[in-house]
Amino acid sequence: MEDYWERAQELLPGGVNSPVRAFRSVGGKPFFARRGEGAYLEDSEGARYIDFVMSYGPLILGHAHPQVVQAVIRQASSGLSYGTPTELELKMAEILCEAVPGLEMVRMVNSGTEATMAAIRLARGVTGRARIVKFSGSYHGHGDSLLVKAGSGAASLGVPDSLGVPEPLAALTLSIPYNDIESLRAVFHDVGDEIAAVIMEPVAGNMGTILPVPGFLETVRDLTRRYESLWIVDEVMTGFRVAWGGASRLFGLDPDLICLAKVIGAGMPVGAFGGKKQYMQHISPLGPVYQAGTLSGNPVAMAAGVAQLEEIHRPNFYSQLELKTKELADQLVGLGRKHGFSVSANAIGGMFTLFFSDRVPANFDEVGRCDQARYRKFFHGMLKSGVFLPPSPFESAFPSWAHTESTIDSTLKAAEHVFQGL
Ligand SMILES: *Cc1c(COP(=O)(O)O)cnc(C)c1O
């Protein structure tokens, strides 16, 4: 058997093309996938795992859903890319604009990162302001303005969260704790008229699944409106994951700009940003804020995304997915507690996180105080038992439509066994 991992470490930084895949937070080495089918992922040696990573979110129907695969094959045989507009892009735009509140105009891109970078540029271009506000522990892709963490002291200037991000740029990003209404008010009180936008996950998913406390989203909307800043709702993870039309529709939000990716691309490289026409008409070629992409709106990617969206747009899809997700999360908590562990869980739509803490956390610091060593052991125990959970206590787990009752039962049996030996 060839050692893929040895070869990968020679050729790819850390052996991977995206850091979380290297299993650094849990230790050990990742498996190489060769096949996916429904809820299952098969590794290069033929072992099968019940997959709750699901490509980190896109695969809400599971791996290789026949409708999605057929759409890709059909489109691919007519050409992979044209460099002219296609009807498929219209179809995608119509679905998105019909489903997502406030989405009047949309621009397709190739990743979530691209979507957030462009939304930030647009917000800065429209307002003529430079500062942005984000929440610590949220992830908005790897754009320079967004790889920023809080400096010391409340409402201080942001500092780079990566080498290579210039300090003067990072200083324009203010990072405050999620769910912290007071810090938010303080920031707007101090520099509100310099803030181009607040960018946020409406349900945080990149520090584990963290729900917004009552009044939090409303306060962001109030303040951004009062100070004439834009509200960018980053639904790259939550869009069509927590509900049809995303958290914006579920919670009745009124965002100025919205970022999408993951589920809308069904596993192809797809992102989108859009929002109110009064803002989107500033995008090139209509307006002076530049944005472009050789493969943006790619027909094969659009075919996959449209096929998935059409498949999940039916009554009870999300209520059933959420029921399954909540039941799984509840039962995991029950099993953990039965075996004497302090565990809790948040679940919404098709995403959840099991926390090794007796109370669900409300922000990044609280997630950091969960028992991470215990999660690591739990992760490896589950993997050995054939269940692939997120390889980090800061990632959400993603059940899909393909996770049937019997898949969930097998998962719970594995968990019972793993908790016993933890
Ligand atoms: C995944 C994610 C991104 C980045 O998307 P990529 O396609 O990985 O660039 C941005 N924002 C949120 C909320 C995400 O979950």
Side-chain angles (χ1 to χ4, degrees), residues 89-298:
E89 293 163 83
L90 284 183
K91 221 173 191 176
M92 174 63 91
E94 277 163 6
I95 294 173
L96 298 182
C97 291
E98 182 275 325
V100 181
L103 201 67
E104 297 170 355
M105 226 178 211
V106 66
R107 169 67 54 89
M108 301 308 300
V109 294
N110 305 286
S111 70
T113 294
E114 253 191 89
T116 56
M117 287 191 327
I120 296 285
R121 181 180 303 145
L122 176 57
R124 285 174 165 156
V126 165
T127 59
R129 300 172 180 179
R131 288 185 192 270
I132 58 171
V133 174
K134 72 183 274 286
F135 296 95
S136 39
S138 292
Y139 180 65
H140 302 291
H142 60 86
D144 281 349
S145 288
L146 295 161
L147 281 184
V148 174
K149 60 187 173 191
S152 50
S156 69
L157 306 181
V159 296
D161 204 9
S162 160
L163 286 186
V165 174
E167 275 169 29
L169 184 66
L172 297 174
T173 301
L174 301 162
S175 187
I176 58 182
Y178 198 77
N179 278 327
D180 186 344
I181 293 176
E182 264 175 40
S183 292
L184 188 67
R185 284 193 199 286
V187 159
F188 270 94
H189 180 267
D190 290 349
V191 291
D193 55 4
E194 297 171 34
I195 295 171
V198 175
I199 182 166
M200 69 184 299
E201 296 175 79
V203 169
N206 288 286
M207 44 177 149
T209 304
I210 304 289
L211 303 174
V213 296
F216 181 48
L217 298 170
E218 293 79 354
T219 305
V220 181
R221 179 65 286 187
D222 282 355
L223 288 168
T224 45
R225 194 166 274 147
R226 184 152 13 118
Y227 286 88
E228 297 178 347
S229 311
L230 266 53
W231 187 23
I232 305 172
V233 174
D234 180 355
E235 295 233 39
V236 167
M237 185 182 289
T238 54
F240 298 88
R241 167 59 60 181
V242 299
W244 180 256
S248 292
R249 180 138 164 191
L250 184 65
F251 298 148
L253 308 181
D254 179 26
D256 297 311
L257 296 176
I258 295 157
C259 300
L260 293 160
K262 296 191 173 128
V263 172
I264 66 162
M268 298 294 274
V270 173
F273 70 98
K276 299 184 172 157
K277 246 182 208 157
Q278 67 186 107
Y279 306 125
M280 287 305 287
Q281 69 193 5
H282 292 266
I283 288 286
S284 52
L286 204 52
V289 178
Y290 191 71
Q291 196 283 327
T294 301
L295 296 177
S296 294
N298 173 269

